[in-house]
Amino acid sequence: MAMAGLYRRVLPSPPAIDFASNEGKQLFLEAIQNGTMEGFFKLISYFQTQSEPAYCGLASLSMVLNALAIDPGRKWKGPWRWFDESMLDCCEPLEMVKAKGISFGKVVCLAHCAGAKVEAFRSNLSTIEDFRKHVMACTTSDDCHLISSYHRGLFKQTGSGHFSPIGGYHAEKDMALILDVARFKYPPHWVPLPLLWEAMNTIDEATGLHRGFMLVSKLHRAPALLYTLSCKHESWVSISKHLMDDLPVLLSSENVKDIKDVLYTLLSNLPSNFTEFIKWVAEVRRQEENGQKLSDEEKGRLAIKEEVLKQVQDTPLYKQVTGLLFPEDSVCQLKAATESSLTNVAASICCQGAGLFAGRSGSSDRFCCRHTCVRCYRATGDNPATVVSGTVVNGNGEQGVDVLVPTSQEKTSCCPLEQDGCSPMHPGSNNVLTALLLALPPQTWSRIKDMKVLEEMENLVSAENLPPLLQEEILHLRGQFLLLKRCKDNKVEEDLAAPPF
């Protein structure tokens, strides 16, 4: 005999008003006329139902991130980049969220990790007047969205702690529109803002802390222009522990007498897979979308990446790192190594592309590329652009793939490719390592015993001495480091302040 399961709930009204009811529609129309539904339209375009009963925090965040058009920088499915609940797991394993839900602090952490700007407020450290002011600000604009963490019981609804975005506000009646992501349970509904404040001003039993609200907006530029920490990589916990906890102890125990000693100590003790921890941000495109031309947008992004790369290579630290890695005729050896590694980049990118266009995360077929090459495009009046190209072979046929490679404009006589106007100095190991050292928290070096060496090292890695573009890049990486450490140490609940991006 078939048994009926749960199919939705009847929305307790009052205190809530169903968005689709006559009264709910009237509130909507009046709020539109008063200009407090501006954020609604972006949110409703990306409104989603949480895919698991405990995924309300993840669904709310992915909905808001997509509404803000924040690029996740990695694919969802096929070739598409899109935020999905399954991608929001850098602060808490998904299986744990599925079983127990997620805390307010960890949703804030996830928003930071995803590249958003976040301001978070616990109810005991804010006021209803402040909350109303922020609701008004977010609902009269479409570049900021508010996620509320509240207890359903205050609305006579079943369940306990819940997350959902606020989609609008009716100022005259002081009512907020909750776009409930548990649409299998309750539809979107209007609630009195004072009652919503009471529902937020409750204790989360799992953490012993108050609930609250967060304002999520887009950073003024992409958080990672050229470099990013790969917190999704399985080894990030052990590598971050080594860099942030073990390295300072190691430096204090070694008798370092100069900068070369410091760098040698670090290099000789780096995990073999550290390059999986910090990566340069590659840009991959289908060949047929643009042919052999770069769009103005692509040229603009590439120019910024090249400027960041140039600024890295202009730092005194880069020269120290390069001298240590390539002690004899370092520039020419580095050029030769770069030319060789570009072929590897091409094969790697194309193999990733084979999996990407087949809807897989990777490809086990080492011969997925029929052809790879390095070539330069030059548009009239433009600098040459280095593009690694290949032909991806998968079950659906063949697909041409390009990866746009930021290059250095340095010129030396030992680089044969310069005859064609190309200087293939893409972000190699010495570039990545320099960025990594600059991004380490300043206290990393504080346990060097020799005061002269300590002072010299602090000057080399000081963010204050960097040009503005590189400084922003390094401070973003440094913020990622601190965020990862807070997640690892389970301290995200204690301090909701944004890291210094």
Side-chain angles (χ1 to χ4, degrees):
M1 178 178 177
M3 295 183 66
L6 287 174
Y7 178 67
R8 305 181 68 172
R9 295 278 192 185
V10 176
L11 180 70
S13 179
I17 299 173
D18 190 330
F19 178 64
S21 68
N22 289 335
E23 188 177 357
K25 292 176 184 177
Q26 186 62 34
L27 289 170
F28 176 66
L29 292 174
E30 292 170 359
I32 285 180
Q33 293 172 354
N34 291 324
T36 53
M37 294 297 297
E38 292 302 309
F40 170 82
F41 299 98
K42 288 284 183 69
L43 285 172
I44 206 66
S45 299
Y46 302 97
F47 196 6
Q48 67 184 76
T49 302
Q50 60 191 80
S51 60
E52 294 286 343
Y55 273 14
C56 55
L58 305 186
S60 298
L61 183 56
S62 60
M63 174 178 162
V64 165
L65 294 170
N66 288 324
L68 290 168
I70 294 176
D71 189 340
R74 55 196 174 97
K75 74 182 185 69
W76 162 57
K77 292 181 182 179
W80 298 104
R81 300 198 299 270
W82 178 260
F83 276 108
D84 179 73
E85 298 154 309
S86 62
M87 298 164 65
L88 299 174
D89 62 348
C90 68
C91 298
E92 188 86 309
L94 290 177
E95 288 303 314
M96 189 173 295
V97 178
K98 189 184 295 186
K100 300 181 178 180
I102 192 168
S103 68
F104 182 71
K106 287 189 176 175
V107 174
V108 174
C109 175
L110 283 170
H112 282 306
C113 286
K117 178 183 177 182
V118 193
E119 296 177 82
F121 306 87
R122 293 198 187 277
S123 58
N124 61 320
L125 300 176
S126 185
T127 66
I128 187 173
E129 289 78 16
D130 287 336
F131 176 54
R132 185 178 287 110
K133 179 184 68 175
H134 289 304
V135 168
M136 178 72 78
C138 284
T139 55
T140 54
S141 167
D142 62 4
D143 58 7
C144 172
H145 300 294
L146 189 150
I147 296 176
S148 174
S149 171
Y150 59 96
H151 196 290
R152 284 191 182 276
L154 273 290
F155 303 134
K156 302 179 182 178
Q157 298 174 2
T158 62
S160 53
H162 191 55
F163 290 90
S164 280
I166 301 303
Y169 177 60
H170 192 294
E172 184 179 345
K173 295 192 176 179
D174 201 19
M175 298 192 78
L177 175 62
I178 296 179
L179 296 180
D180 197 328
V181 292
R183 292 192 287 178
F184 52 83
K185 187 175 183 180
Y186 294 116
H189 48 275
W190 295 92
V191 296
L193 186 139
L195 191 59
L196 175 56
W197 173 258
E198 285 185 44
M200 293 192 302
N201 195 24
T202 53
I203 302 293
D204 179 356
E205 294 180 358
T207 63
L209 299 171
H210 282 73
R211 296 181 171 88
F213 62 97
M214 65 189 79
L215 313 177
V216 186
S217 57
K218 197 171 184 177
L219 293 167
H220 71 281
R221 69 163 178 83
L225 294 175
L226 185 57
Y227 301 102
T228 187
L229 297 189
S230 183
C231 64
K232 290 293 298 178
H233 192 266
E234 61 185 9
S235 64
W236 76 261
V237 172
S238 60
I239 296 177
S240 64
K241 179 182 184 302
H242 173 80
L243 292 172
M244 301 189 73
D245 297 339
D246 301 341
L247 180 58
V249 175
L250 188 63
L251 289 173
S252 69
S253 63
E254 296 287 329
N255 186 24
V256 292
K257 298 178 180 178
D258 54 28
I259 296 300
K260 286 185 178 179
D261 283 349
V262 174
L263 296 180
Y264 180 79
T265 299
L266 183 141
L267 289 173
S268 59
N269 289 279
L270 273 178
S272 59
N273 56 351
F274 89 94
T275 54
E276 294 297 323
F277 184 63
I278 179 171
K279 296 175 178 285
W280 61 279
V281 181
E283 184 164 344
V284 184
R285 66 177 191 175
R286 295 174 186 262
Q287 285 178 7
E288 77 265 21
E289 290 179 351
N290 294 289
Q292 292 191 359
K293 295 181 180 179
L294 271 64
S295 68
D296 290 340
E297 185 182 3
E298 286 173 329
K299 286 187 286 188
R301 289 197 300 268
L302 201 56
I304 293 176
K305 291 183 180 186
E306 288 177 347
E307 181 59 28
V308 173
L309 178 59
K310 179 181 180 297
Q311 290 180 4
V312 169
Q313 294 171 348
D314 285 342
T315 63
L317 181 61
Y318 173 82
K319 295 174 176 60
Q320 293 273 3
V321 170
T322 301
L324 192 62
L325 290 177
F326 307 96
E328 296 179 5
D329 198 12
S330 61
V331 174
C332 291
Q333 287 197 18
L334 181 58
K335 292 276 189 180
T338 300
E339 292 165 30
S340 173
S341 63
L342 273 175
T343 305
N344 295 331
V345 169
S348 173
I349 290 295
C350 289
C351 286
Q352 291 175 37
L356 184 145
F357 291 115
R360 301 190 303 273
S361 61
S363 173
S364 59
D365 184 358
R366 294 183 58 189
F367 304 99
C368 58
C369 305
R370 291 278 178 86
H371 175 68
T372 60
C373 66
V374 178
R375 46 186 179 170
C376 291
Y377 294 157
R378 183 193 288 275
T380 304
D382 290 334
N383 291 325
T386 302
V387 179
V388 177
S389 301
T391 302
V392 170
V393 180
N394 59 32
N396 300 321
E398 296 185 355
Q399 172 64 60
V401 177
D402 288 338
V403 55
L404 311 184
V405 181
T407 60
S408 166
Q409 298 307 312
E410 291 181 2
K411 298 292 181 183
T412 64
S413 59
C414 62
C415 181
L417 287 183
E418 286 179 358
Q419 296 173 3
D420 298 323
C422 293
S423 179
M425 289 279 291
H426 70 282
S429 58
N430 55 338
N431 296 269
V432 171
L433 185 57
T434 301
L436 180 64
L437 294 179
L438 289 170
L440 287 174
Q443 59 268 30
T444 303
W445 319 104
S446 62
R447 297 179 69 173
I448 296 175
K449 295 176 181 177
D450 189 309
M451 290 297 103
K452 183 178 178 181
V453 176
L454 173 60
E455 183 179 356
E456 188 177 355
M457 192 66 200
E458 288 177 339
N459 286 334
L460 283 175
V461 300
S462 171
E464 295 178 0
N465 299 332
L466 301 176
L469 195 62
L470 180 58
Q471 186 181 75
E472 284 194 57
E473 187 86 349
I474 294 305
L475 290 179
H476 168 72
L477 286 172
R478 198 171 286 178
Q480 283 185 301
F481 261 117
L482 296 176
L483 195 58
L484 294 179
K485 183 170 176 58
R486 284 168 56 203
C487 288
K488 179 177 71 70
D489 295 342
N490 203 28
K491 292 183 177 179
V492 292
E493 305 299 340
E494 300 173 11
D495 180 14
L496 295 175
F501 278 28

